[in-house]
Amino acid sequence: MKAPSPIYAKGGVKEAGKFIRLHEHIRDALESFDRISHHLSDSLSDLIRLAIVCHDLGKVLPAFQVRTLKNKHYTPNFPLINIPHSFFSILWINEEELQKKLAKDHRDHAEAYREFLVSAIAYHHWRDNFFELISTPSQEIADLLDTIDPVKDRLRENLLAEIQRLKHEWQDFIDFNENIARGLRNGVPFSEYARPPYQLYFLPKRAGLDEQDMRTWILIAGFLQRADHFASFCEEEGEDLQTAEVEKYSLGFRKVKEIVETRIKGKDKGKSVNIWQIQEIEGHEDRNVILIAPTGYGKTEFAFLWGSDEKSFYTLPLRAAVNQIYARAIGIFGQDKTGLLHSDADVFLMGDGGEEQSSMKAYDLARQLALPVIVSTGDQFFPYALRPPGYEKIYATLSYSRLIIDEVQAYDPRAVAIVVKFIEDTVRMGGKFLLMTATLPLFILNEIDDAIGTDCYEKINLYKKEEHCLKDIRKHKVKIELIENDSSEGNTSFSLPDEQLTKILGQAKWGKRVLVVANTVKQAQDIFCRLREKTESDKDFNGLKDKLWLLHSRFTLDDRKDLEEIVAFEFSNPKPKDESEGKILVATQVVEASLDLDADVLFTEIAPMDSLVQRMGRVLRRYGLTVNLDDIPEPTEANVVVWLFKNGTESGKGLVYNKELLNLSLAWLLKKGIGNLKEVPNEYANKEKEILSEFFNREFIEVIAENTGQAKKRKRGKKKSQDVLSTIIDSNLWFKGAEFEISEFEKHELVENFYKSLPADSSYLLKFRQTKDILDAGYMSDRKEEAHKLFREIFTISVIPREMKHDFINEVCTFFGRYKSSQRLYTSFKKEIFAKFVIQIPFSMDQEKSRRFEPVELWIRDLECLDSISNNNLSEDYERLLSNGDRKRLLRWCKNLYFADYKYDKKLGLIDTEAGATTIEPGEIW
């Protein structure tokens, strides 16, 4: 009798020419799981171990061995009908033995847990084509089972020979399931035997599960996926399986507390400081927390303390902010325990100046969720609230982790709804969350209350606790300036008058750091260019021409990184006392969230109130922690200038910010300016427009009458809040309320009232509410890519300016001529090619009609045809690209990349030369 044939699990990965056998991969997966199994009960851990043992049994399939893995000596070598190996796995689970185990360990949930186990195994590698295979009778599966009988015993012997090599006696669970095979032969859909965990179509099959059962299903599937993925990673990269869960406990809370305390004292250089983080963490270490504190107040240090003893995920909206927090986290937890995740994290780490091997290892371990501290952009995790295939791996890890959400207000309303759902799911899975911000909209807090209950978290509001102090901190004096601008034939100009540019330069000339924030890239570029022209043409400002920078999201990665490093140095926090040279940074919303910049003066376009407060937070940020009020100078002149264009309000033309938000923002600023800052009564908070209009009529129209004598007759209850703007402008009320000091506490009050007065039927809140309702109804995204697009809302594409096409092609050719090894080839390509040429832009159908986009892959496909055309006009560099391997890589890497009719300048970024074009910023958030 022939000896059993070895079953291969993977191709030659550990060593050249050496295949990974099935029992080796199962053993590696079990060892990976053992590193994290202590987070579960013993009985559930045993069930997951069984799932790990059985998950790849289907690789016994002859077609998989012979055709997929080229196991030439495998017997039997027929039938060569291929189906997903995970489907075939469930046919090799001994139903009788499984029922015995479940009856013994999970008596009250035996049938449900059997379904969860089978589902986790069958769908641990979900593919887009599975829907068709499982939802209707499959002829492929029926044909396979019709021809499998002659070799069934041989396949069983092969499996048993592999499983017996494992230490535990798992072989009793191996046998062919004739009942399932018979049903599949007779046309029963596969989904009747393995309940699908994904897609809305199968929602009825998941209906009726209680919360605890759903959690168990997620844990079984999620820990199986994580163990399987990590074992495969170690096998492919030669990594140590012991790194499946790097422990943080060598530091611990006490050590982190000492480091944080030292850093805060060092940052304030001997000042008497109130280390509120250490005071507030007491009693809150093991609680969910919502932290509301002023900008620059040290929320990051509190987060490090709160997450110090357990695995933690620190999320922010902006990549630049993520990179900064990552650097700070390394200083506390160490590079070997801190990971970085965002779309260009591998490129950032490869060029961070550290040891490339250790940096890239940290990146790999972060992708496997193995490190104890992971700093990431929100889009790496929050889209999983839409439960696309594979979400269980994230949720299972969250079940014993801590989630930190910083700057939630920076996301659009749909994304905020997804974040709130993710918080809710984290709590239900058993994890903990810390939500921290300087500006928390009331509707978000209310939604969290409704989702998890007020008793599930602690709210720390430092504005309330430090009210007496914050009322005395008056770092900012605000001035609203109405900019007269032309508007004719549908075209509105948002060009700043020369007098505003002179004011900016004048402030810098006196040695001040000046921050200018525009709402669109185009506006920021225009301001920068005109300032630069003045520094070159006006001798009074010649000294500033080398101290002027522009920062927005439409730079290549290389140029953006260089700019961020310059800005972080030139506008470092705190500003040195002996610094005397003036400087100017023109930027977009990229400076709003978590960038630790310190300026003296801010010029900004009108924006929603929370965004304005975030922008103000970059002014005199150096005074964030001191308790000595004498150290904080009260401004004698405006250091926050808010521009409002009389025609069109702001340069985004309603594409960047909702008009309702802008109008409400201005209304509350002027309300503060005229000394009439009253809280919105609860009976009006977030009510419909008609109800809220009563409040606005009473509070604004009457004030206008009192101050100007220009009251107009209006029907009570019919005035819409957005009409207040024109009323205020027409009344010239502004001359009474256009300039005022504002305390840190008053900024908090403004944001609270701003969101309270946002009508429930406003488009902003409707977007939030509709998205949350859809998620609560059980919506599931069919694909991970779709979930990410829904989270980001705005559709972005990657472009290379057409004028850079020739240089791009030559660089690509040089790259493939230089690199012979395929190890980390894609990361090297991103770092050396994409980082130099590619820019992300928002995309709309209007752009597609007005501008020619040429897919880069067309150029690559043209190369495939060169052999049959003519090579006479090609350089040697082009010919080097003709290898099949290089072409295939390029086609894969350059999918959805376009040459487009833009210009590019290293100082200005991507330049949109079309008349009337508005280059909007929202896609920057990632």
Side-chain angles (χ1 to χ4, degrees):
M1 185 177 178
K2 272 190 175 184
S5 282
I7 301 174
Y8 294 159
K10 295 181 180 297
V13 286
K14 270 188 177 175
E15 300 169 12
K18 183 180 183 299
F19 287 81
I20 302 296
R21 286 183 57 171
L22 178 61
H23 75 273
E24 292 175 319
H25 176 64
I26 293 173
R27 183 192 60 211
D28 290 345
L30 286 169
E31 186 175 340
S32 298
F33 175 66
D34 285 342
R35 296 284 298 171
I36 52 180
S37 62
H38 60 281
H39 297 294
L40 301 165
S41 66
D42 291 343
S43 59
L44 189 55
S45 293
D46 283 346
L47 196 58
I48 294 170
R49 289 189 182 93
L50 178 58
I52 292 171
V53 169
C54 297
H55 79 286
D56 274 352
L57 295 180
K59 289 183 176 179
V60 71
L61 196 65
F64 186 86
Q65 291 297 310
V66 176
R67 286 185 171 171
T68 305
L69 293 184
K70 311 302 180 188
N71 188 352
K72 297 178 181 178
H73 304 292
Y74 185 77
T75 58
N77 57 11
F78 71 93
L80 294 180
I81 301 172
N82 211 356
I83 66 170
H85 74 268
S86 58
F87 290 10
F88 201 47
S89 292
I90 72 165
L91 279 104
W92 289 99
I93 301 174
N94 187 319
E95 185 73 24
E96 185 178 344
E97 290 298 322
L98 176 60
Q99 294 284 14
K100 285 182 185 177
K101 178 175 180 58
L102 291 169
K104 176 184 175 185
D105 298 339
H106 307 278
R107 179 177 300 175
D108 295 336
H109 302 275
E111 183 53 33
Y113 284 17
R114 187 199 70 79
E115 286 194 38
F116 302 160
L117 179 92
V118 170
S119 174
I121 292 169
Y123 305 119
H124 74 274
H125 284 307
W126 181 271
R127 299 288 182 262
D128 289 344
N129 66 341
F130 277 12
F131 176 81
E132 294 178 3
L133 282 171
I134 68 176
S135 57
T136 58
S138 170
Q139 192 59 48
E140 274 184 301
I141 295 176
D143 289 344
L144 171 65
L145 296 175
D146 281 340
T147 55
I148 204 76
D149 275 342
V151 298
K152 206 163 45 181
D153 291 340
R154 179 69 174 163
L155 296 178
R156 183 187 292 106
E157 291 170 8
N158 293 346
L159 277 174
L160 287 172
E162 293 288 333
I163 300 305
Q164 285 168 355
R165 287 174 171 263
L166 302 173
K167 292 179 181 179
H168 195 283
E169 294 184 358
W170 296 104
Q171 62 269 21
D172 289 346
F173 292 96
I174 309 303
D175 199 8
F176 192 74
N177 192 316
E178 295 288 357
N179 290 331
I180 294 179
R182 188 180 306 111
L184 293 172
R185 283 195 199 100
N186 293 331
V188 178
F190 187 84
S191 60
E192 293 298 315
Y193 296 105
R195 193 192 307 207
Y198 313 121
Q199 298 194 318
L200 284 174
Y201 179 85
F202 298 110
L203 184 60
K205 290 183 176 293
R206 299 185 293 270
L209 287 178
D210 63 29
E211 186 177 307
Q212 187 56 43
D213 278 351
M214 194 68 214
R215 181 178 182 272
T216 301
W217 189 359
I218 292 171
L219 291 175
I220 294 171
F223 278 103
L224 166 59
Q225 291 169 18
R226 190 162 167 209
D228 180 33
H229 295 172
F230 193 79
S232 295
F233 160 71
C234 290
E235 291 158 358
E236 291 164 9
E237 301 297 331
E239 187 57 66
D240 185 357
L241 288 162
Q242 295 299 309
T243 59
E245 188 83 328
V246 178
E247 300 292 355
K248 184 163 50 177
Y249 304 125
S250 58
L251 276 177
F253 176 79
R254 183 174 297 178
K255 184 65 176 177
V256 173
K257 176 181 174 182
E258 291 174 4
I259 297 171
V260 166
E261 187 172 8
T262 301
R263 285 183 169 238
I264 293 174
K265 287 181 177 178
K267 191 171 184 179
D268 283 85
K269 297 183 178 178
K271 295 177 185 177
S272 174
V273 294
N274 172 22
I275 306 181
W276 64 266
Q277 297 92 334
I278 292 174
Q279 297 171 7
E280 292 294 341
I281 200 68
E282 293 182 12
H284 296 122
E285 303 98 321
D286 296 318
R287 294 281 291 167
N288 297 311
V289 176
I290 293 178
L291 172 65
I292 306 171
T295 55
Y297 223 64
K299 295 185 289 292
T300 299
E301 284 71 25
F302 180 86
F304 288 156
L305 279 170
W306 180 80
S308 59
D309 272 342
E310 293 177 357
K311 180 188 282 291
S312 57
F313 296 92
Y314 195 129
T315 66
L316 302 104
L318 302 173
R319 276 179 302 194
V322 167
N323 293 340
Q324 282 194 3
I325 297 298
Y326 170 71
R328 291 166 68 179
I330 284 178
I332 289 180
F333 300 105
Q335 188 168 11
D336 61 331
K337 298 182 187 296
T338 309
L340 178 70
L341 284 180
H342 58 67
S343 58
D344 293 310
D346 53 345
V347 176
F348 175 83
L349 291 170
M350 186 175 272
D352 70 351
E355 290 292 329
E356 181 177 313
Q357 187 173 356
S358 61
S359 293
M360 295 313 296
K361 178 180 177 180
Y363 170 68
D364 289 333
L365 291 176
R367 290 181 64 197
Q368 297 297 327
L369 310 180
L371 291 174
V373 181
I374 296 175
V375 187
S376 80
T377 45
D379 67 331
Q380 297 293 310
F381 294 102
F382 298 145
Y384 287 99
L386 284 83
R387 304 201 177 196
Y391 80 92
E392 300 98 331
K393 177 181 173 180
I394 303 297
Y395 275 38
T397 307
L398 283 171
S399 70
Y400 62 91
S401 303
R402 298 191 170 212
L403 172 68
I404 300 163
I405 306 107
D406 199 356
E407 309 292 4
V408 68
Q409 81 289 332
Y411 300 107
D412 70 78
R414 287 194 179 99
V416 170
I418 294 171
V419 172
V420 171
K421 185 63 176 177
F422 196 79
I423 290 172
E424 178 185 340
D425 290 348
T426 297
V427 172
R428 297 192 190 289
M429 288 303 301
K432 295 184 177 67
F433 77 91
L434 165 62
L435 174 65
M436 56 186 197
T437 181
T439 54
L440 182 65
L442 178 65
F443 72 89
I444 297 178
L445 184 62
N446 289 341
E447 191 63 36
I448 292 173
D449 289 348
D450 291 343
I452 64 173
T454 56
D455 58 338
C456 283
Y457 68 88
E458 295 288 339
K459 182 180 175 183
I460 303 174
N461 189 335
L462 291 185
Y463 286 103
K464 300 294 186 185
K465 290 194 173 190
E466 303 287 339
E467 181 176 346
H468 64 288
C469 176
L470 293 173
K471 281 184 173 179
D472 291 332
I473 298 178
R474 311 182 80 83
K475 296 188 293 183
H476 303 133
K477 189 171 187 178
V478 180
K479 184 177 183 180
I480 305 169
E481 295 208 356
L482 182 64
I483 308 295
E484 299 282 350
N485 59 322
D486 295 330
S487 181
S488 59
E489 297 180 0
N491 293 320
T492 303
S493 170
F494 293 96
S495 182
L496 282 175
D498 276 354
E499 65 180 87
Q500 292 294 327
L501 301 176
T502 302
K503 286 180 181 179
I504 294 169
L505 292 165
Q507 292 282 356
K509 184 182 176 182
W510 285 100
K512 293 182 179 179
R513 293 178 173 185
V514 183
L515 175 61
V516 182
V517 183
N519 290 349
T520 65
V521 174
K522 190 174 182 65
Q523 179 79 335
Q525 289 172 329
D526 182 67
I527 294 171
F528 174 82
C529 287
R530 294 176 61 203
L531 287 172
R532 186 170 60 178
E533 288 172 7
K534 277 187 171 290
T535 62
E536 293 170 350
S537 61
D538 191 330
K539 63 181 181 180
D540 288 341
F541 302 127
N542 284 163
L544 295 170
K545 63 183 179 181
D546 294 325
K547 288 295 180 179
L548 173 64
W549 299 276
L550 173 66
L551 180 64
H552 55 73
S553 67
R554 307 290 175 252
F555 285 97
T556 64
L557 185 64
D558 277 354
D559 291 343
R560 170 86 178 262
K561 184 179 178 184
D562 291 342
L563 278 167
E564 286 173 352
E565 289 176 355
I566 292 170
V567 168
F569 175 76
E570 296 287 348
F571 285 77
S572 62
N573 180 32
K575 175 185 176 181
K577 286 185 177 180
D578 58 353
E579 181 178 294
S580 59
E581 59 180 356
K583 56 193 69 171
I584 302 169
L585 172 63
V586 183
T588 55
Q589 299 93 318
V590 297
V591 299
E592 280 182 22
S594 293
L595 286 180
D596 196 17
L597 308 180
D598 185 17
D600 296 301
V601 184
L602 167 69
F603 291 84
T604 175
E605 288 193 80
I606 187 76
M609 187 61 67
D610 53 348
S611 293
L612 282 178
V613 168
Q614 290 291 334
R615 295 177 191 186
M616 290 182 203
R618 306 319 164 211
V619 177
L620 302 182
R621 192 173 176 88
R622 71 208 72 153
Y623 300 112
L625 292 175
T626 181
V627 295
N628 188 349
L629 297 180
D630 293 335
D631 289 341
I632 305 175
E634 288 195 15
T636 56
E637 60 180 20
N639 56 7
V640 175
V641 177
V642 180
W643 293 319
L644 176 75
F645 289 91
K646 188 167 185 178
N647 293 303
T649 309
E650 50 86 40
S651 62
K653 303 177 184 178
L655 296 174
V656 179
Y657 295 120
N658 184 291
K659 285 285 187 182
E660 291 168 311
L661 300 185
L662 295 173
N663 294 341
L664 282 174
S665 185
L666 176 65
W668 281 105
L669 285 173
L670 292 176
K671 195 165 163 51
K672 159 61 185 151
I674 60 178
N676 192 40
L677 185 57
K678 297 179 182 177
E679 185 177 357
V680 178
N682 286 333
E683 62 264 28
Y684 290 112
N686 296 134
K687 301 300 182 183
E688 285 70 23
K689 290 177 184 175
E690 288 195 4
I691 298 175
L692 266 166
S693 66
E694 294 181 13
F695 171 77
F696 277 100
N697 282 339
R698 185 179 71 244
E699 294 295 311
F700 284 94
I701 307 307
E702 291 176 7
V703 168
I704 290 169
E706 292 170 8
N707 284 272
T708 68
Q710 297 181 22
K712 300 178 182 180
K713 293 182 180 180
R714 307 187 186 279
K715 292 182 179 179
R716 182 172 177 83
K718 299 297 183 184
K719 180 66 183 164
K720 292 186 178 180
S721 61
Q722 59 261 42
D723 294 333
V724 173
L725 174 62
S726 57
T727 304
I728 292 172
I729 292 175
D730 292 343
S731 69
N732 290 324
L733 176 62
W734 34 50
F735 294 110
K736 290 181 175 291
E739 189 167 348
F740 52 87
E741 284 188 4
I742 185 168
S743 72
E744 292 301 299
F745 187 77
E746 286 171 326
K747 286 192 288 185
H748 169 66
E749 286 184 306
L750 280 175
V751 173
E752 275 202 338
N753 283 306
F754 168 74
Y755 275 110
K756 272 187 177 182
S757 60
L758 192 60
D761 48 350
S762 64
S763 60
Y764 185 91
L765 283 185
L766 285 175
K767 282 183 181 179
F768 172 83
R769 185 71 267 157
Q770 289 166 357
T771 304
K772 186 61 167 54
D773 287 345
I774 288 170
L775 291 171
D776 288 342
Y779 175 82
M780 300 186 79
S781 179
D782 290 351
R783 298 189 308 277
K784 187 164 68 173
E785 293 79 9
E786 179 190 70
H788 279 77
K789 285 181 180 178
L790 285 170
F791 179 73
R792 297 180 183 188
E793 186 181 28
I794 189 165
F795 179 47
T796 61
I797 60 172
S798 301
V799 301
I800 298 171
R802 197 177 303 281
E803 64 181 23
M804 299 168 71
K805 179 177 179 179
H806 180 73
D807 290 340
F808 170 76
I809 292 173
N810 281 335
E811 291 274 359
V812 169
C813 297
T814 302
F815 177 87
F816 281 105
R818 183 170 66 253
Y819 282 92
K820 305 300 180 186
S821 169
S822 62
Q823 187 175 18
R824 297 205 183 278
L825 197 60
Y826 179 54
T827 296
S828 298
F829 190 84
K830 284 173 67 179
K831 180 176 184 291
E832 298 187 25
I833 308 297
F834 284 165
K836 192 181 294 185
F837 293 98
V838 176
I839 302 134
Q840 297 286 326
I841 64 168
F843 182 75
S844 69
M845 292 306 295
D846 289 339
Q847 284 178 302
E848 186 175 35
K849 293 172 185 175
S850 63
R851 191 185 307 277
R852 191 163 64 91
F853 287 86
E854 176 192 351
V856 172
E857 61 185 283
L858 290 182
W859 161 69
I860 301 169
R861 292 187 187 281
D862 284 345
L863 291 176
E864 293 184 302
C865 304
L866 292 175
D867 292 329
S868 60
I869 313 174
S870 168
N871 290 338
N872 294 336
N873 296 324
L874 291 176
S875 68
E876 291 182 5
D877 283 341
Y878 276 58
E879 291 181 32
R880 279 210 298 269
L881 278 178
L882 296 180
S883 75
N884 287 330
D886 291 344
R887 285 190 205 127
K888 288 178 180 177
R889 289 189 185 99
L890 277 174
L891 281 171
R892 188 170 67 251
W893 296 346
C894 295
K895 185 179 181 182
N896 298 324
L897 177 62
Y898 300 86
F899 297 118
D901 294 331
Y902 291 94
K903 292 186 178 299
Y904 187 79
D905 181 273
K906 292 180 76 67
K907 295 285 187 182
L908 294 175
L910 194 73
I911 302 169
D912 195 332
T913 56
E914 288 197 354
T918 300
T919 310
I920 62 176
E921 190 71 25
E924 145 57 24
I925 287 179
W926 301 278

